[in-house]
Amino acid sequence: MAFEPSRRVFQLSRKVTSVVPESCLLILLGLGLGGIVLAIAKRAEYQLEPSMFFLFLLPPIVLDSGYFMPSRLFFDNLGAILTYAVIGTLWNSFATGAALWGVKQAGLMDAGVDAGLMDFLLFGSLISAVDPVAVLAVFEEVHINETLFIIVFGESLLNDAVTVVLYKVFNSFVEMGPAHVQATDYLKGVASFFVVSLGGAAVGLLFAFLLALITRFTKRVRIIEPLFVFLLAYMAYLAAEMVSLSSILAVTFCGICCKKYVEANISRKSRTTVKYTMKTLASSSETVIFMFLGISAVDTSKWAWDTALVLGTLLFILLFRAVGVILQTWVLNRFRLTPLDRIDQVVMSYGGLRGAVAFALVILLDGDKVRAKDYFVATTIVVVFFTVLVQGLTIKPLVKWLKVKRSDHHKPTLNEELHEHAFDHILAAVEDVVGHHGYRYWRDRWEQFDKRYLSQLLMRKSAYRLKDEIWDVYCKLNIRDAISFVDQGGHVLSASRLTLPSMPSRTSMSESSVTNLLRESGSGACLDLQVIDTVRSRRDKEDAVMHHVLCGSLYKPRRRYKASYSRHFISPSTQERQDKEIFQQNMKRRLETFKSTKHNVCSAKSKARLKKDGRKKKKSAANAELPNGKPPRSVTWQQTAAVLVAVDSDDEESDSSETEKEEDEGIVFIARATDAILQGKKASGSLDVCPSPRIIPPSPTSAERELPWKGDRGDLAVYISSETTKIVPVDMQAAWKQSISSLESVASPPGAEPGPHAKTVAGPAPEERQMMPEPRTCFQFPNPLLRSSRSQSAGSPERTEQPELQPLMAPDEHGRMSTSAGPSNSRWLIQFNRPARFSDG
Amino acid sequence: MGCQNSHPSAIPELEEIMQETGFSQASVVRLYDRFQALDKQQKGYLSKYDLQGIGELAVNPLGDRIINAFFKEGEELTDFRSFIRVLAHFRPVEEEKSKETGRPEPMNSRLRKLQFAFQLYDQDSDGKISRDEMLQVLRLMVGIQVTEEQLACIAERTIQEADQDGDGAISFEEFATSVEKLNIEQRMSLRLLK
């Protein structure tokens, strides 16, 4: 019962946050906090300082918006966004200011509102800053269509900059005093508007370039990558501020433009850090601002009420925004391929919430110069409260009620990605044919320029090489497949151990293998059915049915990668990361369990394989044992070397591919590396046997067949198969065999290679037999040595296998050993060790 | 281009063209100007060579295929009528007119746009995008940094994704299904071709 209230609170809180936008809650929190502060201190202790706001609170918010802006969408709609942000804001501020001045002139306002036209224009400029937060939160939740989303978002982002520039211009006018403002000053104001905004953007671009370039060279100092991102963005802000250009635009453009290259360059961990830090900083700044808002609202000494001003402002900002949107849309629609319809316009007009920036700006007014500051503060607070609380609360129902076009949610498919690219190319080509150099033409040009010069300059080679959108989508899908495959594999594993052997061969999770898997099984839906189908027992059929069910539910992507922005939400990559981690763990575990199984199985299951492997083992062993033997040593040497080199090169390959990767992309390559090692292991496992004096007929040539120890083969086979049956139930061995053979086809290269060598070595076999007597001391020494070399290269999984292997070999070996009495020779050791090192290298 | 404005009357079969393609007269005139500008020797038709002379097309990965799309099977030349007919695929869709009945499928319908795209993939025109054809397109469109093997994997995966009847190739229906979520009307339209 004690939990009951708290549970209710939780349920309530969930309900509240789903209905009430965050900013509303923050304002309410600020109100409460302000009330407490006021009650205790009797006066407002905390004030929003201009320097604090502009130096510390604003940059994170702006950087966050710029950095997480979906840039493709942004530039696709740049025209509309710029129109709304620049012209719309100018219109709003001038119209609102002028209208309020008109109200004042009409004598409707209290005489205490001591303000001229310039003051009202100043007020109009600061009150026209549209705040993105609340609208975006709502849009995010209802998945509004991308175009509307980016237009509203881009507008609210850029108009902050416009507002601040405008605010500064007017502020300087007011401070000069309207009487002293000459006509040239107005011209200067207009000119400075352009200089300040374009200059700010240019500074931002410059720093974006620097930032991208720097992150290219931070490979060895990953830890400071996030630092650089923040530092340079902030430096862009300060630099622009220093030369009195628009610092907001500088940070915005720095964020938008550096993202592509920075994301490609920095490590995944740094990427996560940057994301979270940025979001956290932005949210913190916003929270602080809203709390100040709440505190100021409670402190009545700070503001003076005038009904006409408040009502007039509320009316005018709503009215003029609607008018502005409708007029601009009407013009824009003549140029747009997809016109913005009425519903879009309604949402856009209604979404003009005012927020933190407006409040901060009004607080920053100089009370001596702007005598009506207290009235403006009160009005701004009311406007912010009204828009955030009333409009913020109602916009969601409105969006639903109007049935605004939603963005369609679906998983990204390769086809769509591919065809979208194709469509882009087709359109670009048609534009060329028609001879019109439109937007697509320039985008095409830009992409080529980017590909040819910029990316090469600003991206690491590895990152540049890996960057291709189609390929990205493919990899994503592949990983997803692999995950679902592992999920299913887990299921099968628990039901029967049947599919176990097929797993690791496929877990060579380089990008292609899952596809191989898909190809093998023929159906895209179920990854493992083929293996199951080979066994017709009822249980397995049930299993297969369950598989189908599972496939239906598991094969789907968990989450769509959405190109959208939310200030407080980072979805996609965390999910991916999680998936990858799960996947990695599963794979590792399975690889380990499998490895022991496989080793036995490969030798046991297919006799041909056994012979091959065994032959190789024995050959190399035998060759090594032949130091004072008749056959020329050089020949045996080559044989040994050849075999080892083959293995070695395989290892090397995986190694190099691994090192090329960044350290945090290990997942895929760990799986592959282990697999490579596994295959190497097959060979090196054979090496393990080499020194053993136990002789197994190395080749099936006619000469060999007459050899007296031919029986050994059968012997050995029995011994291994008894091992195998521990792992595979007898009744399933048929299936086991099949899956093994399919495994072989996948993992054949290293296994098959030794074949020819083995045959050619068949000749010296008789001598081998003579040489066979083998000193016990020799046998023991190389073994640990090999092991150490292997464990060095293969890592921990390898070691775990050793104990398992040893008991199998030991008795037999010892038996052989004792029977064999020959001259011990130290040269053998040397010879043997050399190849071993060779393989190690 | 378009420096000298042709008089509408100079264009052969103007009425029929407007009827067939839905272009406005101004658009037809503009395209005719462009046609003549491309037709450097004033021979009244375009050869592949003329189109290949457009510099930007050379760097377009699908450029050659699109040029070929302007020419009928086995023909080396195209006159203005077929030229503009191809371009009509890219005329934006007007919502009002799409309701109109009694007319044959307009050139710029979603279906026709898709068919145009499909034939760029389907080089042997057997109505199916085979694995090889997909691979070829990918080879054109994916950067060189992706290896041939990886391309093959992508091709395989792409086909599997869209292939519904399991014949290892993508038919037109399957192609249309695979892109049904995309806004084709918007993506395959040029504003200036209104």
Side-chain angles (χ1 to χ4, degrees), chain B residues 29-120:
Chain B
V29 171
R30 266 202 31 219
L31 290 175
Y32 189 68
D33 286 344
R34 176 63 179 167
F35 182 83
Q36 287 190 319
L38 288 174
D39 179 16
K40 292 198 183 67
Q41 287 107 45
Q42 308 300 325
K43 48 196 182 302
Y45 48 80
L46 290 181
S47 66
K48 287 187 185 180
Y49 182 77
D50 288 323
L51 288 180
Q52 278 155 356
I54 305 173
E56 298 85 14
L57 267 181
V59 292
N60 192 318
L62 297 178
D64 275 342
R65 293 188 175 216
I66 288 158
I67 291 175
N68 288 338
F70 278 93
F71 300 90
K72 287 197 199 101
E73 190 82 13
E75 283 179 29
E76 289 298 308
L77 306 168
T78 181
D79 58 6
F80 181 62
R81 183 109 189 225
S82 3
F83 177 77
I84 201 168
R85 206 178 282 145
V86 172
L87 291 178
H89 286 114
F90 298 94
R91 197 166 60 84
V93 183
E94 311 91 336
E95 277 169 30
E96 304 85 47
K97 286 192 187 165
S98 62
K99 300 281 188 300
E100 258 176 51
T101 50
R103 277 179 63 184
E105 183 95 34
M107 300 289 289
N108 61 347
S109 69
R110 180 189 173 97
L111 190 69
R112 301 294 287 268
K113 284 180 199 292
L114 279 180
Q115 275 168 351
F116 183 84
F118 186 79
Q119 66 167 24
L120 291 183

Side-chain angles (χ1 to χ4, degrees), chain A residues 335 413 419 427 433 465, chain B residues 34 121 145 161 187 191:
Chain A
F335 299 100
T413 62
H419 300 322
L427 273 196
V433 170
R465 209 168 40 107
Chain B
R34 176 63 179 167
Y121 288 91
Q145 57 266 46
E161 198 179 84
R187 284 206 157 262
R191 194 180 51 77

